[in-house]
Amino acid sequence: MLNHRLEKELNKQVNAELYSAYLYLSMSAYFESINLPGAASWTRVQAEEEQFHAMKIFDFINERGGRAKLVAIESPPVEWDGIVNVFEEILKHEQHVTSLIYNLMDIATEEKDYATTAFLQWFITEQVEEEASVTEMLNKLQLIGGKGHGLLMLDKELAQRTFVPPAAN
Ligand code: FEO
């Protein structure tokens, strides 16, 4: 059974993951507006992943006898200063999410809730992958200066991404 403190903290993380989905969707709309369909598709797929993260925690709260409680989702920004700026913000955002997951892990450890620490391990691994893939993309963007023929090619590469639900475990 989930204790009250962990239930509250996990619910906060559901909200943070849903905010992430909102943020990526807003970025997707921005990319559509500056004619980068590949980047628009990539961020839209990322929004789906974030919803998956939110639902994974939502289900876990319920499975552990807690109650998932939904609260308002903050509005995301709507404007950025080009694609390099967006990916810089994505990296900062994912680093922030990693710190939230670490904080949750600290609390679950303090509370000696080993089911929750085992559950959170999946998110720790996921954050390593997310930060690595965004860093790689940011490096490529900085290399091409975020414009010209290179950007056109990179946008085509970004368009290849599809949503594959991460393996359940
Ligand atoms: Fe759900 Fe991008 O972390």
Side-chain angles (χ1 to χ4, degrees):
M1 177 96 185
L2 212 50
N3 76 23
H4 183 65
R5 182 180 180 208
L6 268 171
E7 180 190 74
K8 197 170 137 212
E9 295 299 326
L10 286 166
N11 267 306
K12 276 201 227 164
Q13 193 61 30
V14 171
N15 187 267
E17 301 291 345
L18 289 173
Y19 173 77
S20 296
Y22 254 35
L23 178 65
Y24 284 112
L25 266 184
S26 187
M27 288 168 168
S28 180
Y30 168 74
F31 283 133
E32 290 287 357
S33 79
I34 60 167
N35 299 314
L36 288 173
S41 168
W42 191 95
T43 39
R44 192 176 169 130
V45 168
Q46 187 60 36
E48 285 184 85
E49 282 219 356
E50 299 301 348
Q51 286 176 65
F52 178 90
H53 295 167
M55 293 315 297
K56 198 172 169 74
I57 304 168
F58 178 97
D59 288 340
F60 180 76
I61 295 169
N62 291 328
E63 272 168 21
R64 296 285 318 284
R67 170 91 189 266
K69 293 173 190 144
L70 300 174
V71 294
I73 303 163
E74 194 190 322
S75 302
V78 290
E79 292 296 343
W80 289 270
D81 187 17
I83 188 168
V84 178
N85 174 235
V86 174
F87 274 85
E88 283 167 349
E89 292 304 314
I90 291 177
L91 183 58
K92 272 192 230 160
H93 179 71
E94 289 304 336
Q95 286 166 340
H96 169 66
V97 173
T98 299
S99 73
L100 296 178
I101 299 288
Y102 283 7
N103 183 50
L104 266 173
M105 185 62 118
D106 284 343
I107 295 169
T109 305
E110 258 174 56
E111 298 291 338
K112 295 188 171 26
D113 186 329
Y114 301 117
T116 300
T117 58
F119 171 74
L120 289 172
Q121 196 56 55
W122 184 91
F123 283 87
I124 288 175
T125 307
E126 180 77 357
Q127 284 308 119
V128 171
E129 282 169 22
E130 292 210 346
E131 285 190 33
S133 78
V134 174
T135 301
E136 188 191 326
M137 210 54 80
L138 192 54
N139 288 342
K140 282 185 189 172
L141 277 164
Q142 281 162 345
L143 214 66
I144 61 171
K147 54 184 189 308
H149 185 67
L151 179 56
L152 222 63
M153 299 302 291
L154 190 68
D155 195 57
K156 283 206 170 75
E157 185 187 325
L158 288 167
Q160 302 303 313
R161 185 181 185 195
T162 52
F163 177 64
V164 180
N169 52 21

